């Protein structure tokens, strides 16, 4: 959500999908130039594209319905998938498979995106056949639209089962069960309509890597973050050659310092108790492990601030809690009684604006947590690559940007990147549908099993 929504407003309207082939044609035409101009991506490759070509062939022949369940580490992911559809799939298909063009997919997107990215994004998403969803509640209008597109849309579906970006190419956030549920709903709709098409969910991995290791750019960014957080300036690296050996201690020191500042902030002004007994007693002495414990305590405290204001119980993982806080905030800002704002008195409008302003302020704590939901204290140590180091540094940059009130979604570009997309083995929903439809318990278990299998499949594609 935008950080400048301070006024109570009418409820968020559903943006119905309204696919326009001319809009898609323009997007496909401009996409390569847009990627070169707006992103650090210089090369996009894909493995197992022939699997996708065959799936599109079967889809166009009326034999299957399928959904692409893709990894979502960055906001650049939609550009990569569009490139896959417009460039790579047709290229492989020309080697012997006749496909009807254009190759495309309906997609599910977060209804909040047009709030921070601009209303024009909602218009474009609609004309590209996208359908929005409000993630923090049972959005029946959005679910019905996605369900209709899955069973009857002109194209297959695409969605990110993680629900949001986590900034990490090699860690998958816990998957939301909605993708599996949509698959079973599609199988159910086809069965009721007497259609014998098979329903599949196709895992798709997306992984970013740097063309050249951008250690100097990382060192410069670290210096900027150190200065912003009040740490002393570090002398230039000897020989002006930065490396993980010289930068990792600085990153740990920065992370520890930021944690200390935030712990003081929440302890003094929000009366939270954050001291970890294992750290106080010296039971945990490893810096990485101590960071992990302190970070989890801080994230929990920050979310509690939001949850207590909105009278929410802290249930589920961090992702689940963030989504509930987000929806509660939306309910305070986008209100049914503000549909006809002219019918309200000036006092009612002023009180509504005050509630909206405070709700937005309380959601700020949740936005901080949102950036760290997948962060562990051992991500770099387990595999000390420049990619992992850069991703962690950028997450700290995002945190500091939020603290300073800057736009946290416009991340710095540290260096040119290449992308590897990997198409995984399809998961059959139709094979599991007989068990799903037995009773409510078996349906719930089937959804959980597919979600777990999809999580493992996506992990295997890293």
């Amino acid at each position: 959500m935008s950080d400048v929504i301070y006024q109570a407003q009418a409820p968020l309207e559903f943006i119905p999908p309204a696919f326009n082939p001319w809009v898609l044609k323009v997007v496909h035409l401009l996409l390569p130039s847009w990627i070169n101009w707006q992103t650090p991506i210089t090369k996009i490759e894909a493995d197992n594209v022939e699997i996708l070509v065959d799936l599109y062939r079967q889809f166009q022949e009326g034999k299957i319905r399928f959904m692409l369940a893709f990894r979502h580490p960055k906001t650049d992911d939609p550009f990569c998938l569009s490139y896959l559809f417009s460039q790579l799939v047709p290229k492989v298909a020309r080697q012997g498979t006749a496909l009807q063009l254009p190759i495309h997919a309906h997609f599910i997107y977060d209804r909040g995106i047009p709030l921070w990215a601009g209303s024009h994004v909602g218009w474009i998403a609609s004309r590209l056949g996208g359908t929005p969803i409000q993630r923090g509640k049972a959005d029946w209008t959005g679910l019905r639209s996605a369900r209709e597109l899955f069973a009857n849309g002109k194209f297959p579906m695409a969605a990110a089962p993680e629900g949001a970006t986590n900034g990490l190419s090699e860690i998958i956030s816990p998957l939301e069960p909605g993708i599996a549920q949509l698959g079973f709903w599609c199988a159910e709709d086809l069965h009721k309509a007497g259609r014998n098409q098979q329903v599949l969910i196709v895992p798709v991995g997306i992984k970013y890597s740097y063309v050249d290791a951008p250690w100097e750019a990382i060192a410069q960014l670290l210096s900027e973050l150190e200065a912003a957080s009040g740490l002393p300036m570090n002398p230039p690296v000897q020989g002006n050659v930065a490396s993980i050996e010289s930068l990792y201690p600085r990153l740990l020191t920065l992370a520890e310092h930021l944690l200390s500042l935030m712990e003081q902030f929440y302890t003094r002004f929000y009366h939270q108790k954050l001291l970890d007994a294992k750290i106080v007693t010296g039971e945990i002495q490893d810096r990485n492990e101590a960071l992990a414990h302190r970070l989890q305590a801080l994230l929990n405290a920050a979310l509690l601030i939001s949850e207590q204001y909105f009278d929410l119980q802290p249930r589920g993982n961090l992702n689940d809690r963030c989504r509930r806080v987000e929806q509660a905030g939306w309910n305070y800002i986008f209100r049914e009684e503000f549909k006809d704002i002219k019918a309200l008195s000036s006092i009612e409008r002023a009180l509504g604006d005050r509630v909206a302003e405070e709700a937005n302020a309380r959601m700020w704590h949740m936005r901080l947590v949102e950036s760290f939901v997948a962060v562990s204290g051992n991500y770099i140590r387990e595999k000390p690559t420049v990619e992992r180091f850069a991703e962690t540094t950028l997450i700290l940059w995002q945190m500091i940007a939020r603290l300073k009130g800057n736009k946290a979604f416009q991340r710095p570009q540290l260096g040119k990147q290449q992308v590897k997309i990997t198409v995984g083995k399809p998961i059959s929903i139709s094979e599991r549908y007989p068990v799903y439809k037995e009773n409510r318990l078996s349906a719930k278990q089937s959804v959980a099993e597919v979600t777990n299998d999809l999580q493992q499949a996506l992990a295997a594609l890293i």
Side-chain angles (χ1 to χ4, degrees), residues 32-65:
S33 298
W34 177 267
I35 291 174
N36 289 333
W37 177 43
Q38 288 291 322
T39 78
I41 298 170
T42 60
K43 185 178 183 181
I44 302 175
E45 297 179 322
D47 287 342
N48 305 331
V49 180
E50 63 277 2
I51 293 177
L52 204 51
V53 169
D54 188 59
L55 289 171
Y56 267 96
R57 176 189 63 79
Q58 294 183 67
F59 180 92
Q60 293 179 357
E61 292 174 354
K63 296 178 179 179
I64 64 171
R65 308 291 300 185

Side-chain angles (χ1 to χ4, degrees), residues 371-420:
S371 303
F372 287 86
V373 291
V375 173
S376 70
N378 296 308
Y379 185 56
I380 298 174
R381 189 165 64 173
E382 288 173 352
K383 188 179 178 183
T385 63
V386 69
E387 284 78 20
R388 291 193 175 204
F389 199 102
E391 289 169 352
T392 303
T393 306
L394 287 171
I395 287 175
L396 291 180
W397 173 90
Q398 186 176 38
M399 173 188 179
I400 291 176
R402 289 197 183 281
L403 293 176
K404 294 167 65 176
N406 298 335
K407 292 182 178 179
F409 57 87
Q410 296 179 344
R411 291 185 172 193
Q413 294 184 6
L414 298 176
K416 296 298 183 181
Q417 290 186 297
Q418 53 196 6
V419 182
K420 173 62 70 71

Side-chain angles (χ1 to χ4, degrees), residues 426-462:
I427 298 172
S428 175
I429 299 297
S430 298
E431 290 179 358
R432 307 176 191 224
Y433 179 66
V435 174
Y436 169 87
K437 68 178 182 178
E438 286 179 358
N439 54 58
R440 185 172 297 181
L441 180 61
S442 61
K444 184 177 181 179
Q445 184 175 351
S446 295
V447 169
E449 288 176 354
V450 170
T451 302
N452 181 63
D453 289 351
L454 181 58
Q455 180 107 30
Q456 294 184 22
L458 287 171
L461 296 178
I462 293 177

Side-chain angles (χ1 to χ4, degrees), residues 74-178:
K74 293 180 60 176
T75 54
D76 292 335
D77 301 338
F79 302 136
C80 299
L81 289 174
S82 295
Y83 189 87
L84 173 68
F85 297 145
S86 63
Q87 305 289 329
L88 303 182
V89 171
K91 180 180 179 180
V92 173
R94 284 194 291 269
Q95 299 174 11
T97 304
L99 293 181
Q100 302 171 26
L101 298 180
I103 301 300
H104 186 52
H106 295 291
F107 56 94
I108 302 171
Y109 66 96
D110 175 18
R111 178 61 181 85
I113 291 176
L115 297 178
W116 58 261
S119 58
H120 66 284
V121 174
W123 186 91
I124 294 173
S126 171
R127 270 61 184 182
L128 291 177
T131 188
I133 194 80
Q134 293 189 41
R135 297 177 297 174
K137 69 173 187 178
D139 180 5
W140 296 114
T141 301
L143 289 171
R144 280 194 296 268
S145 177
R147 181 172 181 171
E148 168 65 21
L149 287 175
F150 201 167
N152 302 303
K154 178 180 176 64
F155 304 106
M157 292 290 290
E162 291 168 277
T165 60
N166 67 11
L168 303 173
S169 288
E170 298 189 64
I171 288 185
I172 300 174
S173 298
L175 303 190
E176 298 178 356

